[in-house]
Amino acid sequence: MSKQKLELTWIGKGKRPKLEPRILVEDQERSYHARHRVTENDIFDNRLIFGDNLLALKALEQEYSGKIKCVYIDPPFNTQQAFEHYDDGYEHSIWLGLIRDRIEVIRRLMTDDGSLFVHIDDNELGYLIVLLDEVFGRANRIGIVTFKQSSASGPKAINPGLVTTNNYLLYYTKNKSAWSPNRVFVPGERDDRYSKCIENFEDHFSGWRLIGLREAFLRSAKLESWDVAKAKFADKLEVKLSEFVVSNAHRIVRTARVAAKDVNESAREALEKSAEDRTRVFCSPREGKDAYYFLGGEQLVFYKSKTRVIDGVTVTASPLTNLWDDLLSNNLHNEGGVSFPNGKKPEALIKRCLELSTQPGDIVLDSFGGSGTTGAVAHKMGRRWLMVELGEHCHTHVIPRLRAIIDGMDQSGISKAVGWQGGGGFRYYRLAPSLIINDRWGNPVINPEYNAAQLSEALAKLEGFSYAPSETAWWQHGHSSERDFIYVTTQNLSAEQLQALSDEVGVERSLLVCCAAFHGVTAAKASERWPNLTLKKIPKMVLSRCEWGHDDYSLNVANLPMAEQNEEPAPQATVKAKPRAKKAVSSTPDLFSMDAEEGQE
């Protein structure tokens, strides 16, 4: 019987794109840095990448595999309007294939203890959960967060049936056994069980006297009665009382029954004494922790255990749950200085994700950059960040927003909460064009837009080498180890040149030579004659590796071509290749053509 597993299937699931690992080209005019350091912790090596996000993720894979601590993505929600020309099966197949391809690369980029947050609505929620379970493993699903993003008001409130107010965050880790989240608290309502106040807290604990909370509040406010307090504060009375409780949390208490078996031996003795003598407080100190206090056979529990400092303010707090209903995104307006209808997420939402999963200096990735919220929040919180965006709003929205943050001019969003004053910077990159294109006769050749340095970097990446040109050894363009190097040249190398190269490399090192052609010796003879050299011809060496010339794996599903009848759809949108023209005779053969110097090995 064949081995089976629970999985989600769809049309074309087995088909995967052969992605080209593009190099990234910096546009220094669009990169931006603060004029001076604001703090010693300013970060300048953040990256904003313009281009198709699936190709961009592939481009990042060599350098960032296993290094991304947190990923937040907000992919298109696959609305019915986007797929109006498709039937249901084709619709889901396209969307799932596009998402799956990205999620698989993202997982490889993450650290072992890294976290992934995927923002989604209920249209594809069920499908996406199963897909992520399959890629990450169900055991690595941390939870599903319900995010209340709007209120049941406005035009949508008159819709028949249920009014949709929620989105969801699917929360996964790469390896749950290595995962160690931060403990996060959120502001909460006053706990009215704490109804007593220690009147003389400054005295020795044995003589503490307890009075009612209302009485303590009235004394503090110098009011005669509760009715006077109601008249003075009206609907603000509870706010004023809560403020009093928080500011006096060290002496606001409640009593709680506690069994002797639930405390240590030292505390047990103090508990028993308090039951015998109900006129005084007994204490059991604890090393490195708050002491136990007992009165009348019960424990005194202090309100300060219910408070936390959140965004610089001490408040009543409770542990974060999987219902986030305090971060409404329906009044964002120009947060970050940009308007981005139907897509912008509140900075507080991203802040919470990063608080859960990262520390300052960790790397955060968002491959659906949108209006740039993830990068904006990560920057303000002292995290390093990578963002990818294909739309023109990368230039009209994201860059202006980031520049304002770096200059310290943006005080919206979480700026005041984290005390943001500016600083740091980012580098802007675009995806290089495809390395291989067809010439006018349909022959695959190296793209003439590549200069010598870019060609060396691209081939080093394709061959698994780190691009690092040596300042002293002209033939060292990159390395895969301390003894293994790569050399890229557009030349047609002779046996004499190869001999000289082999002599320079030496017997203790090895060199991959990528050249237009070599002559005077066959490939088999070359490996025998120069065992420290491996010879490969450009571009023949890489032709079968990738889908060359494919620039758009876009998730802009509304622009996908309509399906033909009885045609099995592919799992991702593809651009059909033009028919290859018949080969023509060239009087000046291109050195980068796959047929250049054929037969001269």
Side-chain angles (χ1 to χ4, degrees), residues 48 132 167 233 254 346 366 412 429 435 454:
L48 175 62
L132 290 171
N167 282 170
F233 297 118
R254 70 180 178 91
D366 185 348
S412 65
Y429 293 87
L435 177 64
Q454 291 170 342

Side-chain angles (χ1 to χ4, degrees), residues 12-18 100-101 104 547 571-572:
K13 180 180 180 180
K15 297 181 180 179
R16 283 175 166 80
K18 297 172 68 175
R100 186 272 316 273
D101 295 339
E104 288 183 337
E547 297 174 354
Q572 68 279 328

Side-chain angles (χ1 to χ4, degrees), residues 313-325:
V313 180
T314 302
V315 296
T316 299
S318 57
L320 185 64
T321 71
N322 62 354
L323 174 60
W324 298 0
D325 58 358

Side-chain angles (χ1 to χ4, degrees), residues 77 120-127 164 166-168:
F77 288 172
I120 200 71
D121 69 0
D122 58 1
N123 190 55
E124 290 288 356
L125 176 64
Y127 293 89
T164 298
N166 302 332
N167 282 170
Y168 304 90

Side-chain angles (χ1 to χ4, degrees), residues 99 103 116 118 127-138 170-172:
I99 292 294
I103 292 296
L116 167 69
V118 184
Y127 293 89
L128 187 56
I129 291 171
V130 180
L131 173 60
L132 290 171
D133 280 354
E134 188 173 325
V135 175
F136 278 83
R138 186 170 181 175
L170 303 186
Y171 184 11
Y172 284 75

Side-chain angles (χ1 to χ4, degrees), residues 21-25 62 432-433 435-436 446-447 449-470 473-480 485-491 511-516 538 541-542 545 592:
R22 305 278 182 95
I23 63 171
L24 299 173
V25 181
Q62 182 185 46
L435 177 64
I436 307 296
I446 293 294
N447 193 327
E449 292 186 37
Y450 276 68
N451 59 35
Q454 291 170 342
L455 175 61
S456 297
E457 183 179 357
L459 289 178
K461 194 168 210 174
L462 281 161
E463 293 293 326
F465 287 75
S466 297
Y467 178 64
S470 170
W474 56 271
W475 47 269
Q476 289 184 17
H477 290 163
H479 58 82
S480 62
F485 302 92
I486 185 172
Y487 169 54
V488 180
T489 178
T490 62
Q491 294 184 28
L511 181 67
L512 171 61
V513 180
C514 307
C515 57
I538 308 171
M541 57 182 286
V542 295
R545 302 274 188 89
F592 293 115

Side-chain angles (χ1 to χ4, degrees), residues 1 51 77 93 283 442 454 571:
M1 183 177 180
F77 288 172
S93 292
C283 175
Q454 291 170 342

